[in-house]
Amino acid sequence: MSLEAIEKVTQVEVQNRERRAAAEAEAKKLVADAEKSGLALLQRTRDGAAESGRELLQQAEAKAAERAAEIDRTAEAEAAKLRETAEKHLAEAAEFIVGRVVKH
């Protein structure tokens, strides 16, 4: 082989090594970028899930407070009815008690 051919082969081999090194570096960069993007997406998903959880909890608490207020109103109404009924029978009860005490 001539000196010129050897130099040409050597030059091609050097270029191939450089291309291979560049390709490996690019592949590592792509993998690193993909991993970084994946981790960022995972974090955004976790943050979104946490926010959704907080919103659901707030909604549940609001519904529970609403239901508790409704139960409180119902209980107050029933208590008022019972007091009214008891007041209506108070005079009768007093007469009954006085009658029993006087008779004995």
Side-chain angles (χ1 to χ4, degrees):
M1 259 179 142
S2 70
L3 183 60
E4 193 175 300
I6 293 173
E7 286 177 357
K8 188 72 168 170
V9 169
T10 303
Q11 185 180 16
V12 169
E13 287 176 349
V14 168
Q15 287 175 346
N16 284 341
R17 279 195 294 270
E18 289 173 355
R19 284 186 193 147
R20 174 173 273 156
E24 287 175 358
E26 181 67 22
K28 286 180 183 179
K29 183 180 182 304
L30 287 173
V31 168
D33 289 347
E35 188 174 302
K36 183 178 177 182
S37 296
L39 289 174
L41 177 60
L42 179 62
Q43 187 59 45
R44 284 194 305 270
T45 302
R46 284 180 179 161
D47 292 344
E51 182 62 30
S52 294
R54 282 190 290 276
E55 288 175 7
L56 288 173
L57 182 60
Q58 288 173 346
Q59 290 173 2
E61 288 174 344
K63 285 181 182 179
E66 201 174 287
R67 181 70 178 126
E70 181 182 325
I71 290 170
D72 188 46
R73 286 190 299 271
T74 302
E76 280 293 325
E78 288 178 10
K81 286 180 186 176
L82 288 173
R83 276 192 301 273
E84 186 179 317
T85 303
E87 287 174 2
K88 286 180 183 177
H89 296 291
L90 184 62
E92 292 174 24
E95 282 183 36
F96 177 75
I97 292 170
V98 169
R100 301 259 313 185
V101 169
V102 171
K103 288 182 182 178
H104 286 83

